[in-house]
């Protein structure tokens, strides 16, 4: 669980004439993560796509485009899986494309006309304010006209000051911003031919439009007057009728497209999948190293699946290919090979095949050999069925780099891989912290919220999301389910449901005869020792959590040697434990809070631990000094003497800061308990008894509270109908707010402790995802 699944680098070398059979077999297996050939081997060239790759890719683009246009739903329109014939699929795809394109072209034309109609309607609305028929706004022989939006006073002043205008008249709409201008040019041209479009008057006589220059610099936006007769309202009605007609025609086209989707949606999903698979297969030779007669493909595969690969290829192409397991390797942080363990029964010395298949054998290469230099793999079988070299030689340098990462976790842990991958995927050489996050994140969250009512809601919503969605969203649902489960558990132990102590009264006191719940949150003055306990336990939880991080970092550092492991992680661990053992010791006890020693010595738990002795505390200081020295030596190695000494001294304070950061667990616990208490206080009311305990006025009124203690608030529920109605709103909204803030506070704080305080001690990430060559079929089948 803490290590990714072991991977093997494999090689498939064979005759070129069986290349397509090999491609089909490994694609169906969906096992090998192929590596790209970089052209570095002498005599080898990158392969060419199989004929038809471009055509297949083009059809794939068409299928995806049609699916998008038709809004095909992956679930609702899928239908049963089907066998797709290449020729039939091409014909049907072309038919669907033609029908859809025709409808889309018609819809585009209609939508363009509808847009133009909407613009004309907006224009008519402005012209209607003038109260002038459209045919009267232009078409005069001796007058020039303009209609637009502007300041009528500014327009009038401009025309009065123009020498080109002999006379003019302006008309305005109700809002005084729509202006119609009628002007006669100076000289009184008899062939003015003025019009509402502002064209030059008297083009034959050469007279120019006097409004062209007169309105320059005036706030005036021209409105185009349509070539129509009658009132603007009549024309607007005609446009409205036309727009309704356009809407109906577009709706008919949409209905036709929906009909095509219903008829062909399942086909398009299947065709897209078929073409995606076909394109993958035809383009994959680009990753191969090839010669005239042969090809070589390399990649990574889970070690335990090598025999499956060998058997499948043996059944498919017989002895026309050679399958080698080149190595099973662990890798260091720099991606170099750290360890190549021999494969039991490997072919390194005797050259004997070890992976037995139904029809032949596949050779496993020895893990500790330094070269895979063979010319036999780059050949065409001769008449005797043996491989004949054609000049290409595979070099020692492998085609594949560092192995991809397959996180190897139980089903219950896999959702938490999502939280890890938010930072980055673990590399092949480091620990996968998903299991540890699975152990701690729900625990932290449940401890901070600790309420049966909230927990049930978290659990229910989380399970609903988990059961309905896949991928990251489904994983978050599973995480919420686990977090809700622990919230329920702690809620029962705290004896609370929606902030009320009902469980305490019914279960722990009523059914089990206890004096109170096993643990309390410590919100009440009477239970202050529990608040102090949670502060101490939060720090202890931090010590355990961070110690685990340093321990994992130490083991990881051993890959570079014991010295690096000690200086990088071991020194910090020694320093931290030394400091905190001293904190919990009686050495200089007067400078430490009393509750540090009291919480396990009777307040609230009588475990008989009142702190480590002063002698142990002094010894812890010595241990811490050793850790500090080692840590500073490590910093000096990296930064030099002066900077390393300063950096090491300052950074040593992190052993205090990191652990104190975990007190946020207790802080969020008390904050959320306080918020729920306030909501219930407003609704029910509450009083405080002489011992400092709080009691909600659920079964009693304010008078009862006054008789038995001090009333904190009388409660809206005791304030008549109006108070009850307001109280219900406060109760519901308040608890919903607490519920949501629980996610943003408890959830984010728990995540922060994982990422910042824990991961930084050992985790870097940056691994490559395992992406095997293949396809998970959903809509097609080969049988």
């Amino acid at each position: 669980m803490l290590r990714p699944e072991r991977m093997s680098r494999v090689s498939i070398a064979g005759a070129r004439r069986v290349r397509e059979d090999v491609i089909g077999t490994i694609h169906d297996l969906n096992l090998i993560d192929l590596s790209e050939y970089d052209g570095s081997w002498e005599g080898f060239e990158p392969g060419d796509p199989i004929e038809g790759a471009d055509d297949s890719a083009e059809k794939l683009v068409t299928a995806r485009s049609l699916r998008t246009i038709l809004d095909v739903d992956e679930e609702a329109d899928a239908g049963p899986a089907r066998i797709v014939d290449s020729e039939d699929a091409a014909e049907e795809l072309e038919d669907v494309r033609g029908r859809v394109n025709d409808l889309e072209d018609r819809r585009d034309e209609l939508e363009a006309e509808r847009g133009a109609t909407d613009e004309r309607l907006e224009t008519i609305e402005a012209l209607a304010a003038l109260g002038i028929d459209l045919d009267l706004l232009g078409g005069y022989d001796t007058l020039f006209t303009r209609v637009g939006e502007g300041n009528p006073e500014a327009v009038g002043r401009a025309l009065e000051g123009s020498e080109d205008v002999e006379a003019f008249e302006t008309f305005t709409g109700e809002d005084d911003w729509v202006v119609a201008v009628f002007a006669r040019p100076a000289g009184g041209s008899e062939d003015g031919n003025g019009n509402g479009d502002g064209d030059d008057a008297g083009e034959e006589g050469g007279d120019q439009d006097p409004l062209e220059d007169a309105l320059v610099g005036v706030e005036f936006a021209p409105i185009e007057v349509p070539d129509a007769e009658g009132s603007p309202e009549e024309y607007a009605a005609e446009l409205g009728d036309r727009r309704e007609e356009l809407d109906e025609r577009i709706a008919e086209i949409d209905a036709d497209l929906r009909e095509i989707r219903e008829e062909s949606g399942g086909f398009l999903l299947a065709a897209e999948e078929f073409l995606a698979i076909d394109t993958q297969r035809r383009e994959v030779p680009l990753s191969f190293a090839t010669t005239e007669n042969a090809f070589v493909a390399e990649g990574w595969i889970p070690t335990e699946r090598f025999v499956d690969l060998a058997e499948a290829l043996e059944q498919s192409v017989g002895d026309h290919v050679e399958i080698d397991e080149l190595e099973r390797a662990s890798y260091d942080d720099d991606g170099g090979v750290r360890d190549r363990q021999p494969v039991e029964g490997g072919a390194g010395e005797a050259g004997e095949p070890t992976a037995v298949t139904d029809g032949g054998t596949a050779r496993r290469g020895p893990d500790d050999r330094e070269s895979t230099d063979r010319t036999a793999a780059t050949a065409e079988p001769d008449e005797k069925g043996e491989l004949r070299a054609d000049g290409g030689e595979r070099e020692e340098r492998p085609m594949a780099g560092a192995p991809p990462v397959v996180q190897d976790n139980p089903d219950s842990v896999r959702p938490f891989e999502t939280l890890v991958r938010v930072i980055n995927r673990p590399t092949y050489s480091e620990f996968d912290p998903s299991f540890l996050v699975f152990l701690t994140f729900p625990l932290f969250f449940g401890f901070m919220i600790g309420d049966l009512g909230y927990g049930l809601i978290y659990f229910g919503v989380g399970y609903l999301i988990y059961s309905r969605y896949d991928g990251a969203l489904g994983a978050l649902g599973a995480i919420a389910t686990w977090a809700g489960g622990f919230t329920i558990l702690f809620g029962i132990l705290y004896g609370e449901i929606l902030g009320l102590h009902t469980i305490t009264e019914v279960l722990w006191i009523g059914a089990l005869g206890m004096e109170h719940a096993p643990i309390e949150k410590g919100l009440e003055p009477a239970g202050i020792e529990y608040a102090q306990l949670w502060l101490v336990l939060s720090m202890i939880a931090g010590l355990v959590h961070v110690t685990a991080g340093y321990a994992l970092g130490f083991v990881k550092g051993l890959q570079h040697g014991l010295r690096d492991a000690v200086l990088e992680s071991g020194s910090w661990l020694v320093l931290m434990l030394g400091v905190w053992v001293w904190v919990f010791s009686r050495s200089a006890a007067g400078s430490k809070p009393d509750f540090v020693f009291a919480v396990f010595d009777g307040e609230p738990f009588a475990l008989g631990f009142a702190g480590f002795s002063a002698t142990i505390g002094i010894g812890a200081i010595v241990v811490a000094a050793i850790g500090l020295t080692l840590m500073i030596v490590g910093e000096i190695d990296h930064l030099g003497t002066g900077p390393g000494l300063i950096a090491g001294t300052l950074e040593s304070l992190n052993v205090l800061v990191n652990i104190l950061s975990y007190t946020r667990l207790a802080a969020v616990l008390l904050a959320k308990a306080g918020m729920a208490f306030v909501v219930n206080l407003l609704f029910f009311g509450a009083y405080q008894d002489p011992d400092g305990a709080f009691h909600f006025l659920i079964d009693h009124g304010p008078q009862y509270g006054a008789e038995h203690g001090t009333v904190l608030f009388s409660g809206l529920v005791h304030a008549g109908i109006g108070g009850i109605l307001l109280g219900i709103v406060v109760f519901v909204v308040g608890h919903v707010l607490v519920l949501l803030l629980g996610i943003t506070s408890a959830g984010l704080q728990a995540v922060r402790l994982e990422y910042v305080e824990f991961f930084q001690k050992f985790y870097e990430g940056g691994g490559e995802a395992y992406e095997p060559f293949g396809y998970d079929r959903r809509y097609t089948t080969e049988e």
Side-chain angles (χ1 to χ4, degrees), residues 264-603:
S264 304
F267 160 74
L268 288 175
L269 291 170
E272 179 187 0
E273 183 172 279
F274 171 80
L275 291 168
I277 292 171
D278 190 58
T279 302
Q280 275 187 334
R281 292 180 173 183
R282 293 181 186 275
E283 292 181 347
V284 74
L286 292 168
S287 302
F288 295 175
T290 63
T291 65
E292 181 179 354
N293 298 316
F295 72 92
V296 178
E298 286 189 5
W300 294 98
I301 187 173
T303 298
E304 63 182 16
R305 300 298 303 276
F306 173 77
V307 173
D308 296 337
L309 173 66
E311 289 179 348
L313 287 172
E314 176 65 26
Q315 293 174 5
S316 174
V317 296
D319 58 359
H320 294 290
V321 294
E322 182 176 291
I323 309 103
D324 285 331
E325 184 183 20
L326 301 178
E327 63 190 22
R328 302 177 193 172
S330 297
Y331 282 74
D332 61 25
D333 293 337
D334 298 325
V337 177
R338 181 178 65 83
D339 178 37
R340 294 179 177 176
Q341 296 182 7
V343 178
E344 184 178 353
E349 298 179 0
E352 297 179 356
T354 61
V356 182
T357 67
D358 293 338
T361 57
R363 292 202 307 120
R364 285 185 185 267
D367 290 287
D368 57 351
R369 65 184 174 190
E370 295 298 327
S371 172
T372 56
D373 181 15
R374 294 186 310 280
T375 59
T378 66
E380 177 76 17
D382 58 18
E383 294 81 359
K384 298 180 181 180
E386 297 179 354
L387 293 175
R388 169 175 53 82
D390 66 356
E393 293 188 0
R394 292 171 57 184
E395 300 182 6
E396 294 181 9
R397 182 170 57 257
M399 188 186 301
V405 175
V406 180
Q407 291 173 267
D408 187 17
N409 291 299
D411 291 342
S412 57
V413 178
R414 285 176 185 166
F416 292 85
E417 294 175 0
T418 302
L419 289 181
V420 173
R421 288 198 290 268
V422 168
I423 298 297
N424 216 326
R425 188 183 304 273
T427 63
Y428 191 76
S429 64
E430 66 182 346
F431 292 104
D432 177 4
S434 300
F435 179 71
L436 299 176
V437 175
F438 163 74
L439 293 179
T440 54
F441 176 84
L443 181 66
F444 290 161
F445 186 94
F447 170 79
M448 285 185 279
I449 302 298
D451 187 283
L452 177 60
Y454 298 147
L456 288 172
I457 296 174
Y458 289 137
F459 185 93
V461 173
Y463 184 78
L464 183 65
I465 295 173
Y466 169 70
S467 61
R468 291 192 176 185
Y469 299 97
D470 297 324
L473 187 57
L476 290 177
I479 293 170
T481 302
W482 278 103
F486 274 84
T487 302
I488 292 171
L489 174 62
F490 277 99
I492 294 173
L493 294 176
Y494 291 133
E496 291 193 5
I497 178 169
L498 298 181
L500 302 173
H501 300 291
T502 307
I503 298 176
T504 298
E505 297 169 0
V506 174
L507 176 63
W508 301 114
I509 298 176
L512 300 179
M514 297 175 60
E515 294 183 1
H516 50 72
I519 54 178
E520 299 176 9
K521 291 184 177 180
L523 187 65
E524 304 174 355
I528 186 65
E529 66 272 10
Y530 277 99
Q532 296 168 344
L533 170 67
W534 302 139
L535 284 173
V536 174
L537 278 182
S538 295
M539 291 185 285
I540 293 175
L543 277 171
V544 174
H545 203 215
V546 175
T547 296
Y550 279 132
L552 292 174
F554 181 84
V555 174
K556 179 182 178 181
L558 288 174
Q559 298 176 8
H560 304 287
L562 179 60
R563 186 176 189 276
D564 283 346
V566 170
L567 296 182
E568 293 293 333
S569 296
S571 60
W572 283 96
L573 180 58
V574 171
L575 172 61
M576 182 187 72
L577 293 178
V579 168
W580 282 97
V581 168
W582 176 83
V583 169
F584 288 109
S585 74
R586 285 291 181 175
S587 176
S591 62
K592 304 168 186 176
D594 292 337
F595 70 82
V596 171
F597 310 109
V599 292
F600 297 122
D601 193 30
E603 298 179 8

